[in-house]
Amino acid sequence: MPVAASPRPEVSTAAPIGVFDSGIGGLTVVRALVHELPREGIVYFGDTARVPYGPKSPDTVRRYSREITQLLLARGVKLIVVACNTATAHALTALRDELPVPVVGVVQPGARAAVRASTSGRIGVIGTAGTVASGAYERAIREGAPDATVISQACPLFVPLVEEGWLDGPAVELIAREYLAPLRERTVDALVLGCTHYPLLAPVVARAMGPGVALIDSAVETARETERVLHRHALATTESEQPEHAFLVSDDPERFLALGQRFLGSALERVEQIALD
């Protein structure tokens, strides 16, 4: 069992934020971070050689997460954002116990926002099969609203649709209506987009759910939580210059580069391939 690390002394406020995901979807979190924290530098790692994490065991996800966070620490990051819902569900507690920098996950910020947004206490969660099976969102929602009714639905086709660029059209609308029918029938009034790919399908999801349902973008909520944690630990940058961002992957940098603009909202100039030991 890894031994908990001592706090790392004198972390520079000019150091970057580390972000990791099982693949490319975490770029929606990077996009939100750049919007909310435009002066902070970011080092992003996408584990494209081992995506997806959803079907893998919790022990395997924790091992992958430890390997990646050690790489990010070697790059001098001051805080780590776990942009993968599955890794947050299975590894966040261990990482917080073991790492010498603050660690932010995507589940709790989204869950807290859903509790605030719901007036009926009927909250929906959509995500990958692994995230839904973990029950992480349900537990996090009930921490803030013990009497909430949480209805979860796996939407496994959403990820390949987004990565193929199918963000609208009759086929996408049909799939969304089929997946979301149980949530409509249970009249949820807040819906957590519990996968980093899903914000790109928000317009389709909104139409399928109908009016009166608040969509909770965990990426945006995670960026806001990151800002709070930086200030709490006196780690917010004091630099005024334009920050630099680095993008690292474990495989297929060309595909990552080609898809990156869809997720990030701007062109990626360079992606570096890194082999994990």
mmCIF file of all heavy atoms in Angstrom, residues 131-167:
data_model
loop_
_atom_site.group_PDB
_atom_site.id
_atom_site.type_symbol
_atom_site.label_atom_id
_atom_site.label_comp_id
_atom_site.label_asym_id
_atom_site.label_seq_id
_atom_site.Cartn_x
_atom_site.Cartn_y
_atom_site.Cartn_z
ATOM 1 N N THR A 131 -19.035 4.624 -14.771
ATOM 2 C CA THR A 131 -19.352 5.698 -13.825
ATOM 3 C C THR A 131 -20.685 5.431 -13.142
ATOM 4 O O THR A 131 -20.818 5.590 -11.918
ATOM 5 C CB THR A 131 -19.380 7.050 -14.546
ATOM 6 O OG1 THR A 131 -18.075 7.327 -15.060
ATOM 7 C CG2 THR A 131 -19.794 8.167 -13.611
ATOM 8 N N VAL A 132 -21.689 5.021 -13.918
ATOM 9 C CA VAL A 132 -23.003 4.740 -13.341
ATOM 10 C C VAL A 132 -22.920 3.581 -12.356
ATOM 11 O O VAL A 132 -23.466 3.634 -11.247
ATOM 12 C CB VAL A 132 -24.031 4.455 -14.457
ATOM 13 C CG1 VAL A 132 -25.322 3.891 -13.881
ATOM 14 C CG2 VAL A 132 -24.318 5.734 -15.245
ATOM 15 N N ALA A 133 -22.203 2.520 -12.737
ATOM 16 C CA ALA A 133 -22.095 1.346 -11.866
ATOM 17 C C ALA A 133 -21.369 1.662 -10.568
ATOM 18 O O ALA A 133 -21.637 1.043 -9.527
ATOM 19 C CB ALA A 133 -21.377 0.215 -12.599
ATOM 20 N N SER A 134 -20.465 2.633 -10.596
ATOM 21 C CA SER A 134 -19.712 2.983 -9.388
ATOM 22 C C SER A 134 -20.590 3.603 -8.304
ATOM 23 O O SER A 134 -20.257 3.553 -7.120
ATOM 24 C CB SER A 134 -18.579 3.955 -9.732
ATOM 25 O OG SER A 134 -19.091 5.268 -9.952
ATOM 26 N N GLY A 135 -21.700 4.222 -8.710
ATOM 27 C CA GLY A 135 -22.575 4.889 -7.753
ATOM 28 C C GLY A 135 -21.989 6.160 -7.163
ATOM 29 O O GLY A 135 -22.513 6.710 -6.193
ATOM 30 N N ALA A 136 -20.895 6.668 -7.766
ATOM 31 C CA ALA A 136 -20.195 7.817 -7.180
ATOM 32 C C ALA A 136 -21.072 9.061 -7.138
ATOM 33 O O ALA A 136 -21.077 9.791 -6.139
ATOM 34 C CB ALA A 136 -18.913 8.096 -7.964
ATOM 35 N N TYR A 137 -21.788 9.342 -8.214
ATOM 36 C CA TYR A 137 -22.633 10.533 -8.233
ATOM 37 C C TYR A 137 -23.781 10.403 -7.241
ATOM 38 O O TYR A 137 -24.133 11.368 -6.556
ATOM 39 C CB TYR A 137 -23.173 10.791 -9.637
ATOM 40 C CG TYR A 137 -22.241 11.614 -10.492
ATOM 41 C CD1 TYR A 137 -21.455 11.027 -11.473
ATOM 42 C CD2 TYR A 137 -22.123 12.988 -10.307
ATOM 43 C CE1 TYR A 137 -20.589 11.780 -12.249
ATOM 44 C CE2 TYR A 137 -21.258 13.749 -11.079
ATOM 45 C CZ TYR A 137 -20.498 13.140 -12.049
ATOM 46 O OH TYR A 137 -19.630 13.891 -12.806
ATOM 47 N N GLU A 138 -24.366 9.228 -7.179
ATOM 48 C CA GLU A 138 -25.479 9.039 -6.245
ATOM 49 C C GLU A 138 -25.016 9.296 -4.811
ATOM 50 O O GLU A 138 -25.690 9.989 -4.038
ATOM 51 C CB GLU A 138 -26.036 7.622 -6.379
ATOM 52 C CG GLU A 138 -27.260 7.372 -5.513
ATOM 53 C CD GLU A 138 -27.958 6.060 -5.849
ATOM 54 O OE1 GLU A 138 -27.574 5.419 -6.831
ATOM 55 O OE2 GLU A 138 -28.887 5.697 -5.111
ATOM 56 N N ARG A 139 -23.861 8.762 -4.455
ATOM 57 C CA ARG A 139 -23.340 8.987 -3.091
ATOM 58 C C ARG A 139 -23.052 10.463 -2.857
ATOM 59 O O ARG A 139 -23.383 11.011 -1.792
ATOM 60 C CB ARG A 139 -22.065 8.161 -2.873
ATOM 61 C CG ARG A 139 -22.296 6.669 -2.784
ATOM 62 C CD ARG A 139 -21.058 5.950 -2.276
ATOM 63 N NE ARG A 139 -19.918 6.113 -3.168
ATOM 64 C CZ ARG A 139 -19.671 5.338 -4.223
ATOM 65 N NH1 ARG A 139 -20.498 4.342 -4.520
ATOM 66 N NH2 ARG A 139 -18.603 5.535 -4.971
ATOM 67 N N ALA A 140 -22.440 11.116 -3.842
ATOM 68 C CA ALA A 140 -22.093 12.530 -3.674
ATOM 69 C C ALA A 140 -23.342 13.398 -3.581
ATOM 70 O O ALA A 140 -23.388 14.361 -2.803
ATOM 71 C CB ALA A 140 -21.211 12.990 -4.833
ATOM 72 N N ILE A 141 -24.367 13.091 -4.362
ATOM 73 C CA ILE A 141 -25.616 13.860 -4.307
ATOM 74 C C ILE A 141 -26.272 13.681 -2.942
ATOM 75 O O ILE A 141 -26.743 14.645 -2.327
ATOM 76 C CB ILE A 141 -26.558 13.423 -5.440
ATOM 77 C CG1 ILE A 141 -26.023 13.926 -6.794
ATOM 78 C CG2 ILE A 141 -27.982 13.935 -5.200
ATOM 79 C CD1 ILE A 141 -26.716 13.317 -7.999
ATOM 80 N N ARG A 142 -26.255 12.460 -2.434
ATOM 81 C CA ARG A 142 -26.930 12.206 -1.155
ATOM 82 C C ARG A 142 -26.165 12.802 0.019
ATOM 83 O O ARG A 142 -26.745 12.991 1.090
ATOM 84 C CB ARG A 142 -27.137 10.700 -0.975
ATOM 85 C CG ARG A 142 -28.149 10.137 -1.960
ATOM 86 C CD ARG A 142 -29.121 9.167 -1.292
ATOM 87 N NE ARG A 142 -30.277 8.924 -2.145
ATOM 88 C CZ ARG A 142 -30.371 7.930 -3.018
ATOM 89 N NH1 ARG A 142 -29.378 7.085 -3.160
ATOM 90 N NH2 ARG A 142 -31.465 7.788 -3.757
ATOM 91 N N GLU A 143 -24.884 13.110 -0.169
ATOM 92 C CA GLU A 143 -24.161 13.829 0.887
ATOM 93 C C GLU A 143 -24.771 15.208 1.112
ATOM 94 O O GLU A 143 -24.829 15.698 2.234
ATOM 95 C CB GLU A 143 -22.681 13.977 0.500
ATOM 96 C CG GLU A 143 -21.871 12.703 0.663
ATOM 97 C CD GLU A 143 -20.426 12.904 0.238
ATOM 98 O OE1 GLU A 143 -20.020 14.068 0.004
ATOM 99 O OE2 GLU A 143 -19.703 11.902 0.115
ATOM 100 N N GLY A 144 -25.221 15.830 0.005
ATOM 101 C CA GLY A 144 -25.818 17.159 0.115
ATOM 102 C C GLY A 144 -27.319 17.145 0.262
ATOM 103 O O GLY A 144 -27.908 18.125 0.738
ATOM 104 N N ALA A 145 -27.954 16.052 -0.178
ATOM 105 C CA ALA A 145 -29.417 15.949 -0.120
ATOM 106 C C ALA A 145 -29.779 14.497 0.187
ATOM 107 O O ALA A 145 -30.055 13.711 -0.730
ATOM 108 C CB ALA A 145 -30.035 16.402 -1.440
ATOM 109 N N PRO A 146 -29.765 14.116 1.457
ATOM 110 C CA PRO A 146 -29.979 12.707 1.826
ATOM 111 C C PRO A 146 -31.293 12.119 1.319
ATOM 112 O O PRO A 146 -31.386 10.906 1.096
ATOM 113 C CB PRO A 146 -29.947 12.737 3.361
ATOM 114 C CG PRO A 146 -29.164 13.960 3.693
ATOM 115 C CD PRO A 146 -29.475 14.957 2.623
ATOM 116 N N ASP A 147 -32.305 12.962 1.129
ATOM 117 C CA ASP A 147 -33.615 12.466 0.695
ATOM 118 C C ASP A 147 -33.811 12.548 -0.817
ATOM 119 O O ASP A 147 -34.906 12.274 -1.312
ATOM 120 C CB ASP A 147 -34.736 13.257 1.390
ATOM 121 C CG ASP A 147 -34.700 13.078 2.905
ATOM 122 O OD1 ASP A 147 -34.314 11.982 3.358
ATOM 123 O OD2 ASP A 147 -35.037 14.035 3.616
ATOM 124 N N ALA A 148 -32.785 12.909 -1.555
ATOM 125 C CA ALA A 148 -32.920 13.047 -3.009
ATOM 126 C C ALA A 148 -33.212 11.700 -3.656
ATOM 127 O O ALA A 148 -32.765 10.643 -3.190
ATOM 128 C CB ALA A 148 -31.650 13.633 -3.604
ATOM 129 N N THR A 149 -33.971 11.760 -4.734
ATOM 130 C CA THR A 149 -34.180 10.602 -5.592
ATOM 131 C C THR A 149 -33.231 10.740 -6.780
ATOM 132 O O THR A 149 -33.307 11.713 -7.515
ATOM 133 C CB THR A 149 -35.637 10.536 -6.090
ATOM 134 O OG1 THR A 149 -36.518 10.429 -4.970
ATOM 135 C CG2 THR A 149 -35.841 9.350 -7.022
ATOM 136 N N VAL A 150 -32.324 9.781 -6.928
ATOM 137 C CA VAL A 150 -31.320 9.847 -7.981
ATOM 138 C C VAL A 150 -31.597 8.751 -9.000
ATOM 139 O O VAL A 150 -31.669 7.571 -8.652
ATOM 140 C CB VAL A 150 -29.895 9.695 -7.405
ATOM 141 C CG1 VAL A 150 -28.857 9.853 -8.511
ATOM 142 C CG2 VAL A 150 -29.654 10.714 -6.295
ATOM 143 N N ILE A 151 -31.770 9.157 -10.247
ATOM 144 C CA ILE A 151 -32.025 8.211 -11.331
ATOM 145 C C ILE A 151 -30.836 8.269 -12.280
ATOM 146 O O ILE A 151 -30.556 9.320 -12.872
ATOM 147 C CB ILE A 151 -33.327 8.536 -12.095
ATOM 148 C CG1 ILE A 151 -34.520 8.559 -11.124
ATOM 149 C CG2 ILE A 151 -33.567 7.529 -13.211
ATOM 150 C CD1 ILE A 151 -34.923 9.915 -10.641
ATOM 151 N N SER A 152 -30.117 7.168 -12.404
ATOM 152 C CA SER A 152 -28.908 7.126 -13.222
ATOM 153 C C SER A 152 -29.150 6.335 -14.498
ATOM 154 O O SER A 152 -29.903 5.355 -14.496
ATOM 155 C CB SER A 152 -27.756 6.492 -12.438
ATOM 156 O OG SER A 152 -27.475 7.235 -11.274
ATOM 157 N N GLN A 153 -28.506 6.754 -15.569
ATOM 158 C CA GLN A 153 -28.681 6.105 -16.861
ATOM 159 C C GLN A 153 -27.349 6.091 -17.605
ATOM 160 O O GLN A 153 -26.740 7.146 -17.831
ATOM 161 C CB GLN A 153 -29.727 6.852 -17.698
ATOM 162 C CG GLN A 153 -29.901 6.351 -19.117
ATOM 163 C CD GLN A 153 -30.513 4.963 -19.162
ATOM 164 O OE1 GLN A 153 -31.472 4.674 -18.444
ATOM 165 N NE2 GLN A 153 -29.948 4.103 -19.983
ATOM 166 N N ALA A 154 -26.877 4.910 -17.977
ATOM 167 C CA ALA A 154 -25.676 4.804 -18.813
ATOM 168 C C ALA A 154 -26.046 5.121 -20.262
ATOM 169 O O ALA A 154 -27.086 4.694 -20.755
ATOM 170 C CB ALA A 154 -25.087 3.400 -18.718
ATOM 171 N N CYS A 155 -25.168 5.890 -20.917
ATOM 172 C CA CYS A 155 -25.390 6.289 -22.309
ATOM 173 C C CYS A 155 -24.132 5.957 -23.117
ATOM 174 O O CYS A 155 -23.418 6.853 -23.587
ATOM 175 C CB CYS A 155 -25.701 7.785 -22.404
ATOM 176 S SG CYS A 155 -27.121 8.321 -21.428
ATOM 177 N N PRO A 156 -23.822 4.662 -23.302
ATOM 178 C CA PRO A 156 -22.528 4.284 -23.876
ATOM 179 C C PRO A 156 -22.287 4.753 -25.302
ATOM 180 O O PRO A 156 -21.140 4.935 -25.700
ATOM 181 C CB PRO A 156 -22.542 2.753 -23.800
ATOM 182 C CG PRO A 156 -23.973 2.373 -23.618
ATOM 183 C CD PRO A 156 -24.612 3.486 -22.882
ATOM 184 N N LEU A 157 -23.338 4.994 -26.074
ATOM 185 C CA LEU A 157 -23.123 5.430 -27.459
ATOM 186 C C LEU A 157 -22.760 6.901 -27.572
ATOM 187 O O LEU A 157 -22.286 7.335 -28.628
ATOM 188 C CB LEU A 157 -24.377 5.147 -28.303
ATOM 189 C CG LEU A 157 -24.656 3.684 -28.635
ATOM 190 C CD1 LEU A 157 -25.957 3.555 -29.432
ATOM 191 C CD2 LEU A 157 -23.505 3.048 -29.397
ATOM 192 N N PHE A 158 -22.960 7.670 -26.523
ATOM 193 C CA PHE A 158 -22.678 9.106 -26.615
ATOM 194 C C PHE A 158 -21.192 9.380 -26.891
ATOM 195 O O PHE A 158 -20.846 10.293 -27.636
ATOM 196 C CB PHE A 158 -23.099 9.813 -25.326
ATOM 197 C CG PHE A 158 -24.576 10.143 -25.246
ATOM 198 C CD1 PHE A 158 -25.446 9.811 -26.273
ATOM 199 C CD2 PHE A 158 -25.092 10.798 -24.132
ATOM 200 C CE1 PHE A 158 -26.807 10.121 -26.197
ATOM 201 C CE2 PHE A 158 -26.434 11.122 -24.048
ATOM 202 C CZ PHE A 158 -27.292 10.776 -25.088
ATOM 203 N N VAL A 159 -20.301 8.607 -26.267
ATOM 204 C CA VAL A 159 -18.865 8.864 -26.446
ATOM 205 C C VAL A 159 -18.429 8.657 -27.893
ATOM 206 O O VAL A 159 -17.824 9.550 -28.499
ATOM 207 C CB VAL A 159 -18.026 8.017 -25.468
ATOM 208 C CG1 VAL A 159 -16.552 8.052 -25.853
ATOM 209 C CG2 VAL A 159 -18.203 8.529 -24.043
ATOM 210 N N PRO A 160 -18.729 7.493 -28.516
ATOM 211 C CA PRO A 160 -18.324 7.349 -29.919
ATOM 212 C C PRO A 160 -19.010 8.340 -30.849
ATOM 213 O O PRO A 160 -18.408 8.766 -31.839
ATOM 214 C CB PRO A 160 -18.700 5.899 -30.264
ATOM 215 C CG PRO A 160 -19.597 5.437 -29.180
ATOM 216 C CD PRO A 160 -19.267 6.229 -27.970
ATOM 217 N N LEU A 161 -20.236 8.728 -30.557
ATOM 218 C CA LEU A 161 -20.904 9.738 -31.389
ATOM 219 C C LEU A 161 -20.122 11.049 -31.364
ATOM 220 O O LEU A 161 -19.878 11.656 -32.412
ATOM 221 C CB LEU A 161 -22.339 9.972 -30.899
ATOM 222 C CG LEU A 161 -23.372 8.892 -31.225
ATOM 223 C CD1 LEU A 161 -24.673 9.174 -30.494
ATOM 224 C CD2 LEU A 161 -23.614 8.794 -32.723
ATOM 225 N N VAL A 162 -19.730 11.475 -30.175
ATOM 226 C CA VAL A 162 -18.989 12.730 -30.055
ATOM 227 C C VAL A 162 -17.645 12.622 -30.774
ATOM 228 O O VAL A 162 -17.243 13.528 -31.512
ATOM 229 C CB VAL A 162 -18.792 13.104 -28.572
ATOM 230 C CG1 VAL A 162 -17.786 14.238 -28.432
ATOM 231 C CG2 VAL A 162 -20.125 13.506 -27.940
ATOM 232 N N GLU A 163 -16.956 11.509 -30.580
ATOM 233 C CA GLU A 163 -15.626 11.382 -31.183
ATOM 234 C C GLU A 163 -15.691 11.252 -32.705
ATOM 235 O O GLU A 163 -14.705 11.551 -33.391
ATOM 236 C CB GLU A 163 -14.882 10.212 -30.548
ATOM 237 C CG GLU A 163 -14.585 10.460 -29.079
ATOM 238 C CD GLU A 163 -13.474 9.615 -28.519
ATOM 239 O OE1 GLU A 163 -12.980 8.714 -29.240
ATOM 240 O OE2 GLU A 163 -13.082 9.845 -27.359
ATOM 241 N N GLU A 164 -16.836 10.837 -33.227
ATOM 242 C CA GLU A 164 -17.020 10.803 -34.676
ATOM 243 C C GLU A 164 -17.559 12.121 -35.216
ATOM 244 O O GLU A 164 -17.731 12.284 -36.420
ATOM 245 C CB GLU A 164 -17.981 9.665 -35.053
ATOM 246 C CG GLU A 164 -17.387 8.284 -34.889
ATOM 247 C CD GLU A 164 -16.173 8.049 -35.774
ATOM 248 O OE1 GLU A 164 -16.168 8.542 -36.923
ATOM 249 O OE2 GLU A 164 -15.224 7.390 -35.318
ATOM 250 N N GLY A 165 -17.835 13.058 -34.331
ATOM 251 C CA GLY A 165 -18.335 14.353 -34.762
ATOM 252 C C GLY A 165 -19.829 14.405 -34.989
ATOM 253 O O GLY A 165 -20.337 15.378 -35.549
ATOM 254 N N TRP A 166 -20.544 13.401 -34.524
ATOM 255 C CA TRP A 166 -22.008 13.362 -34.672
ATOM 256 C C TRP A 166 -22.636 14.055 -33.458
ATOM 257 O O TRP A 166 -22.981 13.433 -32.470
ATOM 258 C CB TRP A 166 -22.494 11.923 -34.763
ATOM 259 C CG TRP A 166 -22.165 11.248 -36.065
ATOM 260 C CD1 TRP A 166 -20.997 11.301 -36.750
ATOM 261 C CD2 TRP A 166 -23.034 10.414 -36.827
ATOM 262 N NE1 TRP A 166 -21.068 10.548 -37.890
ATOM 263 C CE2 TRP A 166 -22.305 9.991 -37.968
ATOM 264 C CE3 TRP A 166 -24.347 9.970 -36.660
ATOM 265 C CZ2 TRP A 166 -22.849 9.155 -38.941
ATOM 266 C CZ3 TRP A 166 -24.891 9.123 -37.622
ATOM 267 C CH2 TRP A 166 -24.153 8.739 -38.751
ATOM 268 N N LEU A 167 -22.779 15.356 -33.561
ATOM 269 C CA LEU A 167 -23.286 16.140 -32.433
ATOM 270 C C LEU A 167 -24.748 16.520 -32.595
ATOM 271 O O LEU A 167 -25.351 17.069 -31.665
ATOM 272 C CB LEU A 167 -22.434 17.403 -32.252
ATOM 273 C CG LEU A 167 -20.929 17.173 -32.077
ATOM 274 C CD1 LEU A 167 -20.228 18.499 -31.853
ATOM 275 C CD2 LEU A 167 -20.642 16.204 -30.948
#
